[in-house]
């Protein structure tokens, strides 16, 4: 779980990785579900944070699918986006630890531990910089991308147990509250527009 303080209000959110872990334990078929996208161009921090969440989710799924070359390319995107948010120094050690686990073909439990370590370090780095708004958007980006990819997998290989993970309207409603709070605080028109587009998608998911 991650705890975000947005406009004086505390939000406790489950990490998107819990959903990935649950599906992986049920032998979910991840292969060929992620569309490779290394376009990291963004015009503001909100967009960069969302992209970091998207790419982190893609990287996790590539690793679960044993698509290591694709995971390597996404790794480079994660580093670039982390630099843009000024947190790369904070997370270098965790990136190296994950790299080593992948190179050494470590057990899945160890690999998952390294992924979780990196996720928490990203969140902590942003929290220390008093950027809980961006920390929340990173996690939201990962959740949205994970939900999108999971839907693709379930459509291709339907399984009633797998489909249970899609029942996350309660999570969407909390994110709606968070994004509404971020919109109210936002003075940059471009960032506000991005957040409003995200809000529109969350409202659709919550229904």
């Amino acid at each position: 779980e991650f705890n975000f303080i947005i406009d004086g209000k505390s939000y406790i959110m489950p990490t998107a990785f819990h959903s990935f872990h649950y599906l992986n334990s049920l032998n979910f078929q991840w292969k060929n579900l992620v569309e490779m996208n290394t376009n990291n161009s963004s015009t503001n921090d909100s967009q960069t944070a969302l992209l970091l969440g998207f790419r982190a989710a893609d990287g996790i799924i590539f690793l679960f699918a044993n698509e290591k070359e694709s995971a390597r390319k996404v790794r480079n995107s994660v580093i670039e986006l982390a630099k843009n948010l000024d947190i790369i120094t904070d997370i270098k050690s965790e990136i190296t630890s994950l790299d080593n686990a992948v190179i050494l073909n470590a057990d899945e439990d160890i690999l998952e531990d390294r992924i979780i370590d990196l996720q928490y370090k990203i969140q902590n780095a942003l929290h220390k910089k008093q950027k809980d708004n961006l920390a929340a958007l990173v996690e939201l980006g990962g959740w949205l991308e994970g939900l999108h990819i999971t839907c693709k997998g379930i459509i291709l290989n339907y399984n009633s147990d797998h489909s249970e993970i899609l029942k996350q309207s309660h999570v969407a409603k909390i994110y709606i509250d968070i994004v509404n709070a971020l919109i109210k605080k936002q003075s940059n028109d471009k960032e506000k527009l991005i957040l409003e587009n995200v809000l529109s998608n969350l409202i659709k998911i919550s229904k």
Side-chain angles (χ1 to χ4, degrees), residues 2-13 127 131-133 135-136 170 173-182 184-185:
F2 293 123
N3 184 24
F4 308 115
I5 307 295
I6 308 293
D7 201 21
K9 184 176 179 179
S10 177
Y11 297 90
I12 298 176
M13 300 299 301
H127 179 71
K131 295 181 178 180
D132 276 27
N133 59 321
H170 61 294
K173 288 173 182 175
I174 299 173
Y175 273 126
I176 286 171
D177 196 13
I178 291 174
V179 174
N180 267 319
L182 294 179
K184 288 177 183 176
K185 289 180 63 178

Side-chain angles (χ1 to χ4, degrees), residues 9 15-16 18 32 35 58 63 71 74 88 100 109-110 124-125 128 139 166:
K9 184 176 179 179
T15 170
H18 289 163
N32 300 319
E35 298 174 14
D58 291 345
L63 289 175
V74 171
I88 188 61
N100 290 338
D109 287 345
I110 294 175
N124 288 339
K128 286 179 181 178
E139 193 58 27
L166 299 179

